[in-house]
Amino acid sequence: MTDHAHDLAALREATDRLLSATEKLDDAALAEPSRLPGWSRGHVVAHLSRNADALVNVLQGRPMYADSETRDSDIERDAPRPQAEQLADLAASADRFVAAAAAPADWSRTVTLRNGVTDPASRIPFRRRGEVELHHVDLGVGYELEDLPDDFIAREIDFLAERFGRHPAVVSTGVADDRGRTWTTGGGAEGGPVGVRGTAPELLGWLSGRRDGSALTVEGGTLPALPPL
């Protein structure tokens, strides 16, 4: 079950790590490329700030973004800002999200995100944690998938395995890490089943599109090509 209070506490810790890393960057470092194609580190930080505000909208019953064009233009607008402005916005927007997520509410209610995706409100803090943790890795500043807390890695694999479950482009796939934890995903495409094994960080890297899966062991076929998130 989702533990809303635990997820908020874990999110605060992840946000503190992100803020500390961003504080060490100067204007030139923010302008350098991130690990996300076409995005500078400034784009990543700007996205995280605007995502926090977008998730406040979700929790308060408003559309997550006005539209995709506005989402993208806001990130482009904010990406080249000086480090001090970026850091202040990142901290303030994170505080706004925590305040909204800590307010008394019916956490069993269903909320709507982008593209009509729905989820229980109680899972929104974990979704935000996923944004913070994975985009911290995307900054390319020494925080790697292997540095992510193990509880987060396991739950994010849960989340991504569920997301790709029955996907029409993914064959039935069994996933197992080197600690004996197992997941199933795919199944909407003909073929399989395929077995994929490796360390939890490598599995997360493959499922999230951040690694090519070359460090994984595949049985019963080739490594499934996953659609973009």
Side-chain angles (χ1 to χ4, degrees):
M1 293 181 62
T2 301
D3 184 334
H4 172 256
H6 168 81
D7 284 347
L8 272 180
L11 171 60
R12 289 187 180 98
E13 293 174 2
T15 301
D16 286 345
R17 289 191 293 270
L18 174 68
L19 290 170
S20 294
T22 306
E23 189 173 17
K24 296 173 184 175
L25 301 174
D26 58 18
D27 290 355
L30 275 177
E32 291 174 351
S34 73
R35 291 177 175 174
L36 295 178
W39 271 17
S40 68
R41 292 189 178 114
H43 283 89
V44 175
V45 175
H47 163 63
L48 283 165
S49 295
R50 300 289 67 79
N51 171 263
D53 286 337
L55 290 176
V56 171
N57 289 338
V58 168
L59 290 176
Q60 296 180 349
R62 297 185 294 273
M64 187 170 180
Y65 296 100
D67 50 53
S68 295
E69 292 75 17
T70 300
R71 171 189 177 272
D72 295 344
S73 65
D74 285 351
I75 293 170
E76 290 296 332
R77 178 198 65 206
D78 294 343
R81 294 176 300 176
Q83 186 266 5
E85 190 174 343
Q86 289 267 41
L87 182 63
D89 188 20
L90 185 63
S93 60
D95 286 345
R96 288 192 293 271
F97 174 79
V98 169
D106 174 13
W107 293 104
S108 67
R109 74 191 188 279
T110 298
V111 294
T112 303
L113 295 101
R114 291 181 70 196
N115 302 320
V117 172
T118 60
D119 216 1
S122 60
R123 197 148 76 154
I124 299 305
F126 182 75
R127 280 182 174 267
R128 173 61 182 174
R129 185 184 177 192
E131 293 283 333
V132 170
E133 294 281 26
L134 291 176
H135 285 314
H136 189 169
V137 174
D138 294 335
L139 287 175
V141 292
Y143 189 67
E144 304 296 341
L145 294 173
E146 287 75 13
D147 297 315
L148 295 169
D150 184 67
D151 75 296
F152 169 76
I153 293 176
R155 285 185 63 192
E156 189 67 10
I157 293 175
D158 285 343
F159 175 77
L160 293 171
E162 177 185 333
R163 180 164 182 167
F164 293 127
R166 304 302 304 171
H167 194 286
V170 184
V171 301
S172 177
T173 306
V175 179
D177 72 4
D178 55 355
R179 295 175 53 181
R181 294 177 292 195
T182 61
W183 299 265
T184 58
T185 193
E190 294 185 3
V194 173
V196 180
R197 293 186 291 109
T199 66
E202 288 289 353
L203 291 169
L204 176 57
W206 166 61
L207 287 165
S208 67
R210 285 165 170 83
R211 292 189 182 171
D212 63 8
S214 59
L216 302 173
T217 299
V218 185
E219 300 170 342
T222 59
L223 184 70
L226 299 175
L229 293 173

